[in-house]
């Protein structure tokens, strides 16, 4: 019983995440400075991979794996990972960082509104070919699978219940 109560307590404390969309930006008229105050979360896992060439094996924050005899660096950003907006290169693009540390500002992914997904902000790639997306991360080119293309930005939308309504009744108007 304590376990059930504990799980209910934890689920009550976790944020209720909603997709982040262009509609939210338009409705609220948020500036880039205001967007930088919003805590973003990732809706799905994003896995970035890149091949190493011999002699250039530099490990940043990922793992090096052998895939079919090739060395591959993999960076995994898990579902629910919090991130922040670093900058907007243009009005409907957002560079969001999910890492901390001294070089975290170079480690970001680009998101933008997708009309097919209700203008929700989705992971962007410079090119999609054979179900693989090409993305820049930390100044290097990585590839991501089509599964990562489903990743969207999410926010904790707390609906405030303090709506104020000014009300009055019309008295009516009669002919003089």
């Amino acid at each position: 019983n304590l376990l059930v109560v504990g799980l209910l307590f934890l689920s009550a404390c976790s944020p209720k995440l909603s997709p982040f969309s262009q509609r939210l930006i338009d409705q609220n008229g948020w500036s880039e400075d205001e967007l930088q105050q919003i805590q973003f979360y990732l809706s799905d896992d994003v896995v970035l991979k890149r091949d190493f060439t011999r002699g250039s094996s530099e490990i940043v924050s990922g793992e090096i794996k052998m895939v079919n005899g090739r060395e591959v660096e993999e960076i995994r950003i898990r579902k629910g990972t919090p991130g922040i907006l670093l900058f907007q290169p243009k009005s409907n693009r957002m560079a969001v960082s999910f890492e901390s540390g001294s070089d975290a500002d170079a480690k970001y992914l680009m998101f933008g509104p997708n009309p097919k997904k209700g203008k929700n902000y989705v992971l962007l790639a410079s090119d999609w070919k054979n179900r693989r997306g090409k993305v820049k991360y930390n100044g290097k080119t990585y590839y991501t699978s089509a599964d990562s293309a489903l990743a969207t930005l999410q926010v904790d939308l707390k609906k405030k219940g303090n709506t104020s309504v000014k009300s009055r009744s019309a008295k009516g108007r009669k002919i003089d």
Side-chain angles (χ1 to χ4, degrees), residues 50-59 64 71 73 140:
R50 80 179 182 101
D51 288 344
F52 275 105
T53 55
R54 295 270 178 241
S56 68
S57 54
E58 163 193 359
I59 302 173
I64 295 180
E71 286 183 79
E73 178 186 8
K140 298 176 182 85

Side-chain angles (χ1 to χ4, degrees), residues 20 40 85 87-88 93-96 109-111 121 153:
F20 183 75
F40 294 99
L85 171 68
F87 64 92
Q88 287 185 284
R93 296 289 183 265
M94 294 174 55
V96 178
L109 295 171
M110 294 301 295
F111 291 84
Y121 271 63
L153 288 179

Side-chain angles (χ1 to χ4, degrees), residues 107-128:
K107 298 174 182 175
Y108 60 84
L109 295 171
M110 294 301 295
F111 291 84
N114 183 334
K116 294 177 186 172
K117 299 277 186 190
K119 292 194 176 179
N120 291 345
Y121 271 63
V122 300
L123 177 65
L124 298 177
S126 61
D127 187 31
W128 286 99

Side-chain angles (χ1 to χ4, degrees), residues 96-172:
V96 178
S97 175
F98 297 95
E99 294 201 41
S100 58
S102 59
D103 62 346
D105 286 358
K107 298 174 182 175
Y108 60 84
L109 295 171
M110 294 301 295
F111 291 84
N114 183 334
K116 294 177 186 172
K117 299 277 186 190
K119 292 194 176 179
N120 291 345
Y121 271 63
V122 300
L123 177 65
L124 298 177
S126 61
D127 187 31
W128 286 99
K129 191 181 286 182
N130 299 331
R131 301 180 47 83
R132 283 179 18 141
K134 183 178 179 180
V135 297
K136 282 281 193 197
Y137 192 80
N138 198 24
K140 298 176 182 85
T141 301
Y142 288 85
Y143 291 90
T144 188
S145 70
D147 294 339
S148 295
L150 302 174
T152 60
L153 288 179
Q154 295 185 310
V155 291
D156 185 6
L157 276 183
K158 291 190 170 96
K159 304 257 192 259
K160 302 271 188 215
N162 48 347
T163 304
S164 77
V165 177
K166 288 186 177 182
S167 179
R168 67 177 187 82
S169 297
K171 302 284 189 233

Side-chain angles (χ1 to χ4, degrees), residues 20-115:
F20 183 75
S21 66
Q22 188 63 44
R23 185 177 53 82
L24 277 175
I25 295 173
D26 295 343
Q27 280 179 343
N28 294 287
W30 288 321
S31 68
E32 184 172 341
D33 287 341
E34 289 169 317
L35 288 168
Q36 288 174 331
Q37 303 305 311
I38 295 174
Q39 182 67 69
F40 294 99
Y41 299 90
L42 199 55
S43 69
D44 294 279
D45 288 1
V46 171
V47 179
L48 306 174
K49 293 182 180 181
R50 80 179 182 101
D51 288 344
F52 275 105
T53 55
R54 295 270 178 241
S56 68
S57 54
E58 163 193 359
I59 302 173
V60 183
S61 60
E63 304 170 355
I64 295 180
K65 296 182 176 182
M66 293 297 284
V67 178
N68 296 329
R70 298 182 343 236
E71 286 183 79
V72 176
E73 178 186 8
E74 180 178 283
I75 299 172
R76 182 176 297 270
I77 306 170
R78 301 242 181 242
K79 171 184 179 173
T81 301
I84 60 166
L85 171 68
L86 295 177
F87 64 92
Q88 287 185 284
K90 54 185 182 178
S91 66
N92 61 350
R93 296 289 183 265
M94 294 174 55
V96 178
S97 175
F98 297 95
E99 294 201 41
S100 58
S102 59
D103 62 346
D105 286 358
K107 298 174 182 175
Y108 60 84
L109 295 171
M110 294 301 295
F111 291 84
N114 183 334

